[in-house]
Amino acid sequence: MSSTGVFVPPALILPRKRMNPLSYKGAPNGTLPLISDTGYMNSHLFIDWLKHFIKHVKSPPEDPFLLIANNHTSHCSLPAVLCCRENHTTFLTLPPHASHVLQPLYKCLFAPLKALFSSEAEKWLVQNPGNVMTLYEVSEIFQEAYIATPRVQLAEKAFRLTGIKPYNPDIISEDCSSPSLVTLAPLDNHFTVTVAPEENEVSPSTSQIDVSIQLIVPLPRRKQRGAKRKGTSQKSETMTSSPFKHLLEKNAQEKVLLKVEAKANRALKKNKNGCKIKKGKTLKAKKKDILNSIVNPVPSKSSANNERTIWPGCEQTYDED
């Protein structure tokens, strides 16, 4: 969806193991059919959608397009960044937990589209009593809801309400973040308790005691379920920028090294064959040799012999190089 009301044909993701063209019968023209195990977007499907987007947009080098999306993990991948850079598209992600405020699709389009889809689904159930709605009917119902949605008017309104076009940073007030201020406020642990004198006491004076609120009412503790995951702070990023690209490349190299090291460990265990190997330098040297053999494999003699071709007629061999 663009600020001028131009829409790229939608993509439909259905929860299936195998692609079935009948599931997309009656879908809007140009719909990109996609499947996944869960019915949700992943990094591989996002690459397919990027190619679908670039095919219809055709961004010129002198005037690149700006693609705005949330910072879901499926969007933050190195292949996606390289695909955008190669096709002259600037990819910008929104801050976390701000899609309901800054994402134009969330702001104006999805709600009426969902309402129309529910209405069309109810009509189908009334017209087909006793039948169960399956994935084969979803595309046709979505087509009716998609056509009935006033997309051009909603697109212009969505970009205006989010302050993207025309650019208006003051359109989003501080009240939008006020609910989070409650959890960010510091807890007042100490306060003063005034103890009144009893009736039998002679002195009418009162005493003050500094008491921690946690001693009176301990804070509830939530039980940890499963392994504790290390959270990483996220922010709005220009995905196609060089620093972020280098960061993704570094993370990809680290993952490859971890896989290679795990493969070397498995090969080391397999090569032991029940023999005792001295720990320390001998084990590290053997592991290093296995790592080098995986990263830089040595061509076998059979492959080297295959590179020599027999010349027809004289029956002599020669190298193709």
Side-chain angles (χ1 to χ4, degrees):
M1 180 181 73
S2 68
S3 59
T4 57
V6 178
F7 279 74
V8 173
L12 285 181
I13 306 176
L14 298 181
R16 295 185 61 90
K17 289 287 186 180
R18 298 179 181 178
M19 178 65 70
N20 189 350
L22 295 177
S23 302
Y24 301 91
K25 183 180 179 181
N29 293 331
T31 297
L32 176 65
L34 299 173
I35 58 173
S36 68
D37 295 341
T38 59
Y40 291 96
M41 177 66 74
N42 55 46
S43 57
H44 301 288
L45 296 183
F46 184 66
I47 298 298
D48 296 336
W49 181 86
L50 271 179
K51 295 177 181 178
H52 173 73
F53 171 78
I54 293 167
K55 174 184 175 183
H56 289 84
V57 171
K58 297 179 181 178
S59 175
E62 61 277 2
D63 188 16
F65 279 88
L66 175 63
L67 178 62
I68 302 175
N70 55 22
N71 55 0
H72 191 262
T73 53
S74 61
H75 304 157
C76 306
S77 64
L78 182 59
V81 172
L82 296 178
C83 182
C84 290
R85 288 170 66 98
E86 292 173 359
N87 294 277
H88 318 293
T89 301
T90 303
F91 189 14
L92 176 67
T93 59
L94 298 174
H97 312 295
S99 297
H100 64 290
V101 179
L102 298 176
Q103 173 63 278
L105 289 172
Y106 283 75
K107 194 72 175 178
C108 293
L109 184 69
F110 283 164
L113 181 60
K114 288 180 180 179
L116 289 171
F117 182 84
S118 300
S119 177
E120 293 296 332
E122 291 178 359
K123 289 181 182 179
W124 187 92
L125 292 174
V126 171
Q127 296 172 0
N128 299 272
N131 294 337
V132 179
M133 186 185 302
T134 63
L135 292 178
Y136 297 100
E137 288 81 24
V138 170
S139 297
E140 295 182 0
I141 297 173
F142 176 76
Q143 160 76 347
E144 298 297 331
Y146 189 74
I147 293 176
T149 305
R151 299 190 298 275
V152 177
Q153 296 83 352
L154 290 177
E156 296 175 353
K157 180 181 178 181
F159 278 89
R160 185 177 68 255
L161 292 179
T162 53
I164 298 177
K165 187 178 180 181
Y167 178 67
N168 185 10
D170 299 328
I171 198 170
I172 301 174
S173 62
E174 295 181 357
D175 297 337
C176 296
S177 59
S178 57
S180 62
L181 299 178
V182 179
T183 57
L184 296 177
L187 180 64
D188 188 8
N189 291 329
H190 293 81
F191 63 97
T192 303
V193 178
T194 303
V195 181
E198 297 182 0
E199 296 180 357
N200 298 330
E201 289 186 0
V202 179
S203 176
S205 62
T206 59
S207 59
Q208 294 182 351
I209 305 174
D210 291 336
V211 183
S212 174
I213 190 174
Q214 296 184 7
L215 295 177
I216 300 175
V217 182
L219 295 176
R221 294 184 178 181
R222 183 177 64 87
K223 294 182 179 180
Q224 183 69 29
R225 295 187 299 177
K228 186 177 180 180
R229 295 188 299 177
K230 184 179 180 181
T232 57
S233 60
Q234 296 178 338
K235 59 181 180 179
S236 178
E237 291 280 359
T238 304
M239 302 286 291
T240 48
S241 62
S242 297
F244 196 83
K245 172 178 169 289
H246 296 332
L247 178 62
L248 291 177
E249 289 176 345
K250 181 181 178 181
N251 294 338
Q253 290 176 358
E254 290 178 355
K255 290 182 180 180
V256 171
L257 289 177
L258 289 176
K259 290 182 180 179
V260 171
E261 187 175 357
K263 188 175 181 180
N265 290 333
R266 291 194 298 268
L268 184 61
K269 292 180 181 179
K270 189 176 181 181
N271 292 337
K272 284 183 179 180
N273 294 326
C275 300
K276 293 183 179 180
I277 300 178
K278 294 182 180 180
K279 295 183 179 180
K281 295 183 179 180
T282 306
L283 187 61
K284 290 181 180 179
K286 192 172 184 64
K287 183 177 178 180
K288 186 177 180 181
D289 294 339
I290 296 175
L291 277 171
N292 293 333
S293 64
I294 295 174
V295 177
N296 302 314
V298 179
S300 60
K301 295 182 179 180
S302 59
S303 61
N305 294 334
N306 292 335
E307 294 178 357
R308 301 181 63 84
T309 308
I310 299 177
W311 187 267
C314 61
E315 303 297 329
Q316 294 182 358
T317 60
Y318 70 99
D319 294 331
E320 292 182 350
D321 296 333

